[in-house]
Amino acid sequence: GLSCYSRSPELEHPNLSKMVRIVAFAYPYLFDNIPLFYRLFLCSGEGCAHNETIPIHYRHVALAFLTCFLFATHLPERLAPGRFDYIGHSHQLFHICAIIGTHFQMEAIIMDMSIRHSWLTLHVPLPAFMGTIGALGIALMLNLLIIALFSLALYWTPKLPDLKYEYKKFKMD
């Protein structure tokens, strides 16, 4: 919702629009990665699973913050207007950093899963039906119900009271 809302005040308040857009993309990233941030920056001791994936996670986090920085500052084209119109524009660099960061994130997750597979199978129960396919089915049914309700609302038209007009003919002399 914030991403869509950020487009409406763009002309009147460009700085507000930019901040709302940054928050719209940064907030979900930060929220989704709370366990990772805890593991990387706060966790200490034996239960923290410090292994060879930690440097890859650090690369992922660094590229995510670099992506946000490039999006917010419009560097380098801000320092040399006109020179980065085709190659090296911050929007291009933003996408490149996001793609490489996503690559590091996926590599770290796959490596974590393979390294911790034996520990996970011993200590974590297998997912149940309601935790996987069941939850997906319920979410799908709720989404279809919402779509159906809003679609039906498009076809429903309220009855307007019949208004009878009397037309009088005026004579022009």
Side-chain angles (χ1 to χ4, degrees):
L2 276 177
S3 179
C4 293
Y5 173 74
S6 70
R7 294 295 188 186
S8 58
E10 202 161 16
L11 295 176
E12 298 87 20
H13 308 287
N15 290 336
L16 173 66
S17 175
K18 183 62 121 177
M19 287 304 298
V20 170
R21 251 180 114 61
I22 290 170
V23 168
F25 291 104
Y27 175 73
Y29 172 79
L30 294 172
F31 182 78
D32 291 343
N33 285 293
I34 287 173
L36 176 66
F37 295 146
Y38 175 78
R39 179 178 170 198
L40 293 178
F41 303 118
L42 298 175
C43 191
S44 62
E46 290 185 28
C48 292
H50 286 289
N51 53 30
E52 53 267 14
T53 61
I54 297 296
I56 302 171
H57 282 300
Y58 278 129
R59 287 184 212 136
H60 153 243
V61 171
L63 282 164
F65 283 104
L66 180 61
T67 300
C68 184
F69 174 78
L70 289 170
F71 180 77
T73 60
H74 291 284
L75 291 175
E77 71 268 10
R78 204 161 156 210
L79 299 175
R83 294 198 181 198
F84 298 100
D85 288 345
Y86 297 110
I87 298 173
H89 193 272
S90 66
H91 195 86
Q92 295 167 346
L93 297 174
F94 154 76
H95 281 286
I96 290 168
C97 289
I99 291 167
I100 295 170
T102 303
H103 170 74
F104 282 135
Q105 181 183 31
M106 296 308 296
E107 285 293 318
I109 290 170
I110 291 168
M111 192 181 293
D112 259 341
M113 291 297 291
S114 65
I115 290 172
R116 300 180 69 205
H117 179 73
S118 61
W119 184 90
L120 288 171
T121 54
L122 291 175
H123 295 89
V124 178
L126 290 174
F129 177 77
M130 282 310 292
T132 56
I133 305 296
L136 177 69
I138 290 171
L140 180 66
M141 294 305 291
L142 286 174
N143 282 325
L144 290 173
L145 178 67
I146 291 169
I147 291 169
L149 289 173
F150 280 100
S151 296
L152 287 174
L154 292 173
Y155 292 111
W156 179 77
T157 55
K159 277 200 163 198
L160 297 174
D162 290 338
L163 299 175
K164 297 187 179 189
Y165 295 102
E166 292 182 22
Y167 293 102
K168 295 180 183 179
K169 291 185 177 179
F170 293 103
K171 291 185 180 180
M172 303 284 286
D173 293 322

